[in-house]
């Protein structure tokens, strides 16, 4: 069994920006054994390095096997137990995404590591299920625009969510947007999508500029998705976005106030849906495909 020794080398080896990116994992002690590349060659290090916002998934492994998972812990039985934990904690499509991320890390290292599981792809298979999602109308977006959160974290969440609503960027891209993404004439916003690596250009909404600037000098550099979802649900509820809706999520029909079903992609979906309702055909078309 690999002996792991506690170290503070991450303080010397990680740049200030990396320390912010991996702050959650550092706080939870996963970087206590950080020694550079060798640390990243263990399963938990490889996963955290690629998915810093998914530290809770490593928590699930730790809950099942009692420690941060090494390659020797990637057995069929452990993967089944972790998937059970995921099924109990996340919606089916979220489980599917997480399993795909775990699968990719294992597959990328399968030839160079001694991985006990021979059936990881089958064990981690998860079906995609139909999901009905809500979108916010222009008037509901205006209510959020006028809402004033009282805490720094909620102001940060509002800023990122409004960027989603006003320019249609993904959550991961909104975290990186700033005034430097504006064109010289200030009429368009251009960025390269982190997920697709495509350049995207959209017109600038009159409200957009104020959300490109941090709401506070102490605004967090990162934002965990569960906390983000909680925050946007909170201020949507506070804004009275409580129309009763029926959606199909997590494999069943659900009825409740609209704010309850707002989540990470709602802003992006609202941007596209509102343009479609106005018969605007140009929506987030990558330059290479125009």
């Amino acid at each position: 069994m690999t002996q792991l020794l506690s170290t503070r080398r991450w303080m010397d080896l990680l740049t200030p920006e990396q320390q912010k990116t991996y702050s959650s994992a550092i706080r939870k002690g996963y970087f206590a054994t950080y020694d550079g590349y060798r640390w990243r060659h263990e399963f938990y290090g490889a996963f955290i390095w690629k998915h810093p916002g998914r530290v809770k998934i490593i928590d699930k492994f730790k809950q099942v096997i009692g420690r941060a998972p090494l390659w020797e812990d990637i057995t069929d039985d452990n993967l089944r137990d972790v998937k059970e934990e995921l099924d109990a904690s996340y919606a089916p499509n979220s489980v599917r995404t997480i399993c795909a991320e775990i699968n990719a890390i294992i597959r990328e290292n399968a030839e160079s590591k001694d991985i006990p599981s021979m059936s990881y792809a089958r064990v981690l298979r998860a079906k995609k299920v139909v999901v009905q999602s809500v979108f916010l109308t222009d008037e509901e977006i205006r209510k959020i625009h006028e809402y004033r959160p009282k805490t720094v974290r909620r102001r940060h969440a509002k800023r990122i969510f409004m960027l989603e609503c006003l320019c249609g960027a993904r959550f991961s891209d909104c975290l990186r947007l700033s005034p430097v993404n504006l064109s010289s004439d200030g009429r368009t916003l251009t960025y390269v999508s982190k997920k697709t690596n495509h350049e995207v250009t959209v017109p600038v909404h009159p409200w957009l500029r104020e959300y490109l600037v941090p709401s506070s000098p102490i605004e967090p550099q990162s934002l965990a998705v569960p906390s983000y979802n909680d925050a946007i649900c909170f201020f949507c509820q506070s804004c009275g976005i409580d129309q009763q809706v029926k959606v199909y999520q997590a494999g069943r029909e659900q009825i409740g106030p609209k704010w309850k079903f707002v989540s990470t992609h709602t802003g992006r979906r609202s941007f596209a849906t509102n343009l479609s309702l106005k018969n605007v055909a140009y929506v987030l078309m990558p330059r290479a495909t125009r």
Side-chain angles (χ1 to χ4, degrees):
M1 182 180 295
T2 304
Q3 180 68 32
L4 298 178
L5 301 176
S6 180
T7 175
R8 300 284 287 177
R9 292 199 69 203
W10 61 266
M11 299 180 71
D12 300 320
L13 298 176
L14 295 179
T15 65
E17 186 61 35
Q18 287 174 327
Q19 290 183 34
K20 293 176 182 177
T21 299
Y22 299 102
S23 60
S24 178
I26 290 171
R27 188 171 61 252
K28 291 188 174 186
Y30 289 115
F31 274 75
T33 57
Y34 186 73
D35 59 0
Y37 289 107
R38 190 173 67 176
W39 178 89
R40 303 179 213 172
H41 293 166
E42 279 298 349
F43 174 78
Y44 76 94
F47 188 87
I48 290 172
W49 193 258
K50 189 167 185 178
H51 303 290
R54 296 282 201 190
V55 179
K56 287 188 176 180
I57 305 309
I58 298 300
D59 290 344
K60 295 292 184 186
F61 273 94
K62 193 173 182 179
Q63 180 180 334
V64 167
I65 66 177
R67 67 179 182 187
L70 308 177
W71 290 113
E72 63 197 64
D73 299 314
I74 306 304
T75 66
D76 288 351
D77 285 342
N78 284 341
L79 290 177
R80 288 191 187 96
D81 291 342
V82 168
K83 187 170 183 299
E84 274 191 27
E85 292 294 326
L86 294 175
D87 287 335
S89 305
Y90 295 90
N93 285 342
S94 295
V95 173
R96 184 171 181 264
T97 299
I98 293 166
C99 285
E101 292 169 349
I102 298 172
N103 200 335
I105 295 293
I106 298 174
R107 186 173 61 250
E108 289 167 7
N109 291 273
E111 292 185 4
S112 59
K113 307 296 181 185
D114 185 13
I115 302 172
S117 175
M118 301 297 292
S119 309
Y120 61 89
R122 177 173 55 80
V123 174
L124 293 172
R125 186 177 297 127
K127 293 182 179 179
K128 184 177 182 179
V129 299
V130 175
V131 174
Q132 289 179 318
S133 302
V134 299
F135 76 95
L136 301 182
T137 65
D138 285 338
E139 180 57 32
E140 289 168 336
I141 294 172
R142 176 180 291 278
K143 289 181 180 180
I144 297 172
H145 172 61
E146 295 172 351
Y147 176 69
R148 297 293 178 261
K150 294 181 180 179
T151 69
V152 172
R153 289 190 176 277
R154 284 180 178 159
R155 287 195 292 272
H156 184 205
K158 176 195 167 181
R159 184 173 77 83
I160 300 305
F161 186 68
M162 286 300 296
L163 286 174
E164 285 190 45
C165 292
L166 299 179
C167 70
R170 291 181 177 86
F171 171 75
S172 58
D173 294 322
C174 289
L175 290 171
R176 300 180 297 120
L177 292 179
S178 72
V180 300
N181 294 98
L182 293 172
S183 61
S184 57
D185 62 7
R187 297 177 61 185
T188 59
L189 178 90
T190 300
Y191 64 94
V192 176
S193 170
K194 185 176 181 180
K195 181 176 182 179
T196 64
N197 205 34
H198 286 154
E199 184 181 87
V200 178
T201 298
V202 293
V204 171
H205 189 282
W207 300 339
L208 182 64
R209 288 177 181 80
E210 70 177 89
Y211 294 110
L212 292 172
V213 180
S215 59
S216 165
I218 59 172
E219 182 178 282
Q221 295 295 314
S222 60
L223 187 59
V225 172
S227 298
Y228 177 63
N229 285 339
D230 289 344
I232 59 180
C233 284
F234 177 84
F235 56 67
C236 283
Q237 181 183 19
S238 301
C239 289
I241 301 175
D242 53 9
Q243 172 192 353
Q244 291 290 300
V245 296
K246 179 189 289 187
V247 299
Y248 189 87
Q249 293 185 353
R252 61 189 178 88
E253 278 191 347
Q254 300 185 50
I255 300 176
K258 184 187 279 191
W259 63 262
K260 185 177 180 180
F261 304 107
V262 173
S263 63
T264 313
H265 297 290
T266 303
R268 177 174 165 84
R269 186 180 303 108
S270 300
F271 173 83
T273 303
N274 287 323
L275 286 183
S276 178
L277 292 174
K278 296 170 186 173
N279 295 318
V280 178
Y282 178 86
V283 182
L284 292 177
M285 185 71 73
R287 179 171 293 178
T289 61
R290 288 179 208 160

